[in-house]
Amino acid sequence: MAATYRGGRPATAARAARRRAVLHWIGVHALAVAAALFFVLPFVFVLLTSLMSDQQALTRDLVPRTWQWENYTRVLDTPGFLTWWRNTLLYAGLGTVLTVVSSIPVAYALAKFRFRGRRLAMMLVISMMMLPPQVIIIPMYLFWAKEMDLAGSLWPLIVPMAFGDAFSVFLLRQFLLTVPDEYLDAARVDGCGEVRTLLRVVLPMAKPGIAAVALFQFFYAWNDYFGPQIYASENPAAWTLSYGLESFKGAHHTDWNLTMAATVLVMAPVILVFFFAQRAFVEGVTLTGVKG
């Protein structure tokens, strides 16, 4: 009896451990599914409502009785909607390219060069990150509208991106700190100058960080409402999707199915970009800040 008890005790403990492991797995995955549903269900609601008729939208029905795919055609046929698309692509695409190209050299210098005033320069970059755009909007508007005569266009928002962005510089600098200096020293020994070292050595190793910065900037420009409202509100031909959607909602405030369809068309590109680039984005954000 004693031998059986001693022999059965480890087996009982192993079964209990397996039971706890199974319960832990069920609990963790149940919480994950609940969290996923919490974030996904609003998008599902918007999508299903966009495919309903006017009479069914915002009723207790959760699924469309008839799938009204023509709602999207009606939205796309709205005067100015395709122009808003074109303006948003110009603003987000060109602005992202200019921001990345102009921020990389500054971040590289702050991360890898040793010069007098380096800490002060980094403090200035951080202070610019903390400065709300509303603080300087009046002098900036006077400069672009009165001096440069660019009011009613998106160029006052695009041109400054060619001179770097404080957040992008900071994020890239933090990522470039993780690049070992030995690679840069080896390139210099082989005769590479700083520009060639940056292009041939640093940039290939910094692709995740660059992807993260590009996505952050693209999402910011795509969703920007404040800037187009200030500079382009007087010219409907220069409106972006974020600002034009507000006008669309005002004109179709009772047509919730059309409003939801327009919302889906505005959100879809951002969701698709993040879906296909999420691996590089997550890797870049994870590795950024390893060193201080």
Side-chain angles (χ1 to χ4, degrees), residues 39-121:
F39 287 102
V40 170
L41 285 179
F43 296 99
V44 175
F45 170 78
V46 171
L47 179 61
L48 292 178
T49 305
S50 70
L51 295 171
M52 293 180 179
S53 61
D54 294 341
Q55 295 75 20
Q56 189 184 3
L58 296 187
T59 62
R60 294 184 178 180
D61 297 334
L62 299 179
V63 179
R65 301 191 192 100
T66 57
W67 299 83
Q68 304 287 330
W69 295 101
E70 61 271 16
N71 290 342
Y72 290 93
T73 305
R74 294 174 61 186
V75 171
L76 291 175
D77 289 339
T78 301
F81 195 85
L82 294 180
T83 301
W84 304 342
W85 258 87
R86 184 192 64 209
N87 295 336
T88 306
L89 287 175
L90 174 66
Y91 177 27
L94 184 57
T96 299
V97 172
L98 292 176
T99 299
V100 172
V101 171
S102 59
S103 298
I104 288 175
V106 181
Y108 176 63
L110 291 175
K112 296 302 180 182
F113 290 178
R114 299 294 182 266
F115 56 90
R116 182 174 298 179
R118 178 167 167 262
R119 290 184 178 273
L120 177 60

Side-chain angles (χ1 to χ4, degrees), residues 262-286:
T263 303
V264 171
L265 291 175
V266 173
M267 293 190 304
V270 177
I271 295 175
L272 290 175
V273 168
F274 180 77
F275 178 79
F276 287 106
Q278 61 178 322
R279 181 175 180 179
F281 176 76
V282 173
E283 184 179 355
V285 174
T286 302

Side-chain angles (χ1 to χ4, degrees), residues 10 35 37 56 69 91 95 102 110 113 126 200 212 218 220 232 241 243 250 254 258-259 261 267 270:
L37 291 176
Q56 189 184 3
W69 295 101
Y91 177 27
S102 59
L110 291 175
F113 290 178
I126 295 176
R200 295 295 184 87
F218 182 84
Y220 165 77
L241 283 172
Y243 189 76
T254 58
L258 298 182
T259 301
M267 293 190 304
V270 177

Side-chain angles (χ1 to χ4, degrees), residues 234-252:
E234 61 189 48
N235 181 17
W239 287 1
T240 59
L241 283 172
S242 58
Y243 189 76
L245 182 62
E246 185 67 25
S247 173
F248 184 91
K249 288 167 59 179
H252 299 83

